[in-house]
Amino acid sequence: MTKRSFHNKTKKKAASPNDMLGQVQKMQQEMAAAQAALESETVSVTAGGGAITVVITGHQRLQSITINPELLDPEEADFLQDMLVAGVNAAIEQSQALAAQRMEGITGGIGGMDGLLGGLGLG
C-alpha cells in the first residue's frame, strides 16, 4: 500500500497586523472620498406622472422641487401635498440606495460593515 501525504506543503502567509491596518486605513480614505463625492451627486425623481420633480443630493439634502404650474389650483392643494411627500420620500430612498452602493463598492461586502453603514444611515 502506498502512503499519501494530504498535507499542503505550501502554506499561505498570514496577513500581518500591519497589512490589515493598511487595508483598513485605505478603506477609510476611500469611504471619506466617497462621502465627499456623494455631496455633489444628485438624484432626480418625478412623481404624479411628471407633475413634480424632486432633486436631492447623496447626503439627503433637498436641492429643488419643481411643480407643474397646472397643479397650482387651490382646489388641488391636498393632491399637491401628497405628491410632494411621495416625491421627497422617493428621492431620499434613491439617494440612500446611491450612498449604500458607493459604500459597498469600497467595503466589498465585508462582514459587519453593513451594520456599521446602517448605523450611519448608509445601509
Side-chain angles (χ1 to χ4, degrees):
M1 207 176 231
T2 308
K3 267 189 157 178
R4 292 185 184 182
S5 174
F6 291 102
H7 298 289
N8 188 353
K9 296 192 181 200
T10 58
K11 292 185 178 182
K12 283 187 175 180
K13 182 181 174 186
S16 74
N18 287 337
D19 290 341
M20 291 177 70
L21 180 60
Q23 289 175 348
V24 169
Q25 288 173 336
K26 181 181 177 192
M27 185 172 56
Q28 287 175 328
Q29 291 170 348
E30 290 174 352
M31 287 179 71
Q35 282 287 337
L38 282 169
E39 189 170 353
S40 64
E41 289 189 69
T42 62
V43 175
S44 180
V45 177
T46 60
I52 68 162
T53 302
V54 176
V55 179
I56 190 168
T57 70
H59 280 199
Q60 287 88 44
R61 299 292 182 254
L62 190 61
Q63 278 195 332
S64 66
I65 297 176
T66 305
I67 303 169
N68 180 332
E70 293 174 10
L71 294 178
L72 299 177
D73 180 349
E75 293 177 19
E76 298 292 326
D78 289 339
F79 177 66
L80 178 60
Q81 291 169 8
D82 290 344
M83 280 195 310
L84 285 169
V85 169
V88 170
N89 284 331
I92 289 170
E93 288 173 13
Q94 286 190 20
S95 176
Q96 289 171 336
L98 173 67
Q101 180 182 25
R102 295 294 185 268
M103 293 301 117
E104 184 178 323
I106 293 168
T107 64
I110 293 173
M113 290 303 291
D114 292 337
L116 173 64
L117 295 176
L120 297 173
L122 300 174

